[in-house]
Amino acid sequence: MLAVAQIDYIRHEVNQKGESYADVSRRVEVDPRTVKKYANQEEFRERKPQKRYSPVMGPVKPIIDKWIKEDFKKKKKNHRTAKRMYQQLKKFHSFKGSYRTVRDYVSKRKKALNEYDQEAALPLEAVPGTAQVDFGTAPFQYGGNVIDLPFLVLSFPYSNTFYFQVFPSENTECLLEGLSRMFRYMGGVPKTIRFDNLSPAVKKIKSKGERELTDTFERFVLHYGFHYEFCNPGKGNEKGHVEAMVKYVRNNYLLPECVITDLDQFNKTLWELAEEDRQRPHYQKKVLQSELFTEDKNEWLVLPEKDFECVRYQDIKADKYGFIAIDAKQYSTSPRFAKQRVKVCISYNMITILTEDHDVIVRHQRLYGIKRQSMVWQPYLDLLAKRPKAIKYSSLYDQFPEEWSSYLKSCTEEEQKAALRLIGKLLKNNDFTLLNQALALSSKHGHPHVDQIKHCFYSLLNQSNTHMSVPTGKNVPKIPDMTRGLSHYDAFFHEGGAEK
């Protein structure tokens, strides 16, 4: 892949200056097909047209300008040719001029629009189609606790409007997922977006205001084709609109604490709140913000045909138990990948562990907050059922729920094998809830057999009471206490019983 500076140069020369693929390829010393590929991959900033009067072209100039402006939002291969414009003018607009007149006007107009850079001299707040981005935080009732969660705000200074979404973190994946989700809902991309120096986007601030961007953010910008700006360090006022909008969103929509049971479902309700808020007059322009937002919308770039994959990939070596660490959180793979390298696909809400051939080994919900480890049991249960006393994996018993950890440690080896096979058969979605209830129920009369646990499990699953049918009256003889497992042998040899 070419450097970002080269790609930017190719896009500028081909899409904005109208240079040929061959000319640009000679300058950057790459194949013309490569130039064509990158030139057509991204859009660029559109320019506002200058209007001129001409007796022949006057009536159709606004139409041609509109077509050129629309084409500037698209890949070069999708631009109308001057000939095609001429044909459409004759067919649909009763144009009486010549093809040459249209061709000359189109050529001159494209160059004029490319050189017209009025936006550079205007503050961002005065330019339709531009946006600002920042995170804020607010308290939420989530998972039975009140916790602070970040919310991402995309604000539009020209129309004083916004969109926002709530996320579990301010990491790169959440930032890009939020922006991608907003672009998709909006149906377009702001042509210029101003950011603070967010760590998910900026890896390092260099001298003379240059930034070293994170790889994922760099690819995100190239994919959507918008122009980015960053505030100077310590100059938060340069994105004052979005900072004010963060406070506005928090005070008007997120306080007191909102209750969240499903974060994705909660976020779907936020689009309508943002749209309803536009039905009020602009604080200065005294017209409805919804009308100004339409002007914003008319200036957006066209969405790419495909969404950006808001993920990053890492190669990580698993430990001796087959666990990997991501952001100080532990995720299980499979015993067969212990001390092996695996590929990890990381999104804002999912950790997918892959083989070198990109076959899925296991998927985890991404962990946030105080929970430190995610365990998918199935790959481990198969091994433990065959080798329950394998020293290498003995500490895995401590990863089970406490009820099962205690039970397994009190079992003989054959009982452990049977219990682990049962867990492997009955455990669904790593949810031990019903299995824990079945174990507790079957343990009321002492150490249970696997068949008793199984019977109680299906009784609970089917909401029946057949587990109550076992007689417990006076006719049942008293069974003496028994010691389970092999611990009594250890005690025997430790106390010198072998000598006796």
Side-chain angles (χ1 to χ4, degrees), residues 57-294:
M57 296 293 296
V60 298
K61 278 183 178 180
I63 299 171
I64 296 176
D65 289 349
K66 179 175 179 291
W67 288 345
I68 294 173
K69 196 174 181 181
E70 289 174 349
D71 287 347
F72 278 176
K73 300 179 182 181
K74 304 174 184 177
K75 300 173 185 176
K76 185 175 180 180
K77 66 181 181 181
N78 295 328
H79 290 189
R80 300 172 179 89
T81 63
K83 184 176 181 181
R84 181 60 177 161
M85 292 184 186
Y86 170 69
Q87 292 171 342
Q88 290 183 309
L89 289 173
K90 286 188 65 178
K91 184 175 181 179
F92 299 109
H93 301 280
S94 303
F95 179 65
K96 303 300 182 183
S98 67
Y99 163 62
R100 183 173 181 176
T101 306
V102 173
R103 183 190 64 190
D104 291 345
Y105 178 78
V106 170
S107 177
K108 293 177 181 178
R109 194 68 178 128
K110 282 186 175 181
K111 289 181 180 179
L113 291 175
N114 282 327
E115 294 169 358
Y116 188 68
D117 198 14
Q118 177 185 345
E119 297 168 351
L122 293 175
L124 197 62
E125 286 75 7
V127 182
T130 60
Q132 298 181 5
V133 171
D134 203 5
F135 276 105
T137 58
F140 295 86
Q141 293 187 34
Y142 189 40
N145 300 305
V146 176
I147 60 173
D148 284 340
L149 290 177
F151 58 97
L152 181 69
V153 177
L154 178 69
S155 75
F156 305 95
Y158 179 79
S159 58
N160 195 41
T161 57
F162 61 89
Y163 285 112
F164 72 104
Q165 293 280 277
V166 180
F167 285 97
S169 176
E170 295 184 23
N171 58 36
T172 301
E173 295 73 45
C174 290
L175 170 65
L176 302 189
E177 171 66 24
L179 291 176
S180 179
R181 192 182 292 177
M182 292 175 190
F183 296 165
R184 186 166 56 249
Y185 183 83
M186 291 156 49
V189 181
K191 58 186 178 182
T192 302
I193 304 178
R194 179 173 291 170
F195 299 84
D196 199 351
N197 295 288
L198 299 170
S199 58
V202 179
K203 189 185 301 184
K204 182 180 180 181
I205 301 178
K206 299 181 179 180
S207 60
K208 298 181 181 180
E210 294 183 359
R211 268 83 171 169
E212 181 181 350
L213 304 182
T214 62
D215 175 68
T216 310
F217 182 76
E218 209 168 59
R219 291 187 291 106
F220 183 83
V221 171
L222 290 173
H223 181 85
Y224 285 106
F226 62 86
H227 177 71
Y228 59 84
E229 296 178 357
F230 289 102
C231 299
N232 291 311
K235 298 289 184 179
N237 60 295
E238 295 179 352
K239 57 175 182 58
H241 185 268
V242 73
E243 289 192 342
M245 199 57 72
V246 165
K247 296 178 182 178
Y248 180 84
V249 167
R250 182 191 296 113
N251 292 337
N252 287 276
Y253 299 109
L254 301 179
L255 293 177
E257 299 93 343
C258 297
V259 178
I260 299 178
T261 54
D262 185 319
L263 186 55
D264 288 336
Q265 191 61 40
F266 176 78
N267 277 324
K268 291 179 181 178
T269 67
L270 304 181
W271 306 120
E272 186 176 351
L273 297 180
E275 290 168 355
E276 290 175 350
D277 187 78
R278 297 181 205 138
Q279 305 307 316
R280 59 188 176 95
H282 190 279
Y283 64 96
Q284 285 182 334
K285 301 171 184 176
K286 308 305 178 186
V287 297
L288 282 179
Q289 293 182 167
S290 58
E291 296 179 20
L292 298 172
F293 185 75
T294 300

Side-chain angles (χ1 to χ4, degrees), residues 25 38 75 242 248 282 306-307 344 394 402 416 481:
S25 71
Y38 286 112
K75 300 173 185 176
V242 73
Y248 180 84
H282 190 279
K306 296 182 180 179
D307 290 336
V344 186
S394 59
E402 184 178 353
Q416 285 178 346
D481 295 335

Side-chain angles (χ1 to χ4, degrees), residues 261-377:
T261 54
D262 185 319
L263 186 55
D264 288 336
Q265 191 61 40
F266 176 78
N267 277 324
K268 291 179 181 178
T269 67
L270 304 181
W271 306 120
E272 186 176 351
L273 297 180
E275 290 168 355
E276 290 175 350
D277 187 78
R278 297 181 205 138
Q279 305 307 316
R280 59 188 176 95
H282 190 279
Y283 64 96
Q284 285 182 334
K285 301 171 184 176
K286 308 305 178 186
V287 297
L288 282 179
Q289 293 182 167
S290 58
E291 296 179 20
L292 298 172
F293 185 75
T294 300
E295 295 182 41
D296 267 325
K297 189 173 183 179
N298 290 337
E299 300 299 320
W300 291 342
L301 302 174
V302 174
L303 270 176
E305 294 178 2
K306 296 182 180 179
D307 290 336
F308 182 80
E309 187 182 21
C310 300
V311 300
R312 60 185 169 96
Y313 288 87
Q314 281 185 239
D315 288 337
I316 303 178
K317 185 177 181 180
D319 64 16
K320 65 180 181 179
Y321 300 113
F323 280 78
I324 61 168
I326 299 172
D327 298 333
K329 309 289 188 182
Q330 297 285 323
Y331 299 90
S332 66
T333 63
S334 167
R336 67 190 179 96
F337 289 98
K339 296 186 177 181
Q340 303 296 316
R341 298 198 73 83
V342 294
K343 292 185 180 295
V344 186
C345 176
I346 304 168
S347 72
Y348 85 99
N349 65 345
M350 189 69 66
I351 301 294
T352 305
I353 303 174
L354 311 164
T355 66
E356 290 185 355
D357 297 325
H358 287 262
D359 295 324
V360 176
I361 300 170
V362 69
R363 287 189 173 91
H364 295 265
Q365 290 291 322
R366 187 169 181 178
L367 297 179
Y368 293 99
I370 61 173
K371 189 175 180 181
R372 312 298 294 179
Q373 187 178 86
S374 176
M375 181 76 181
V376 175
W377 276 104

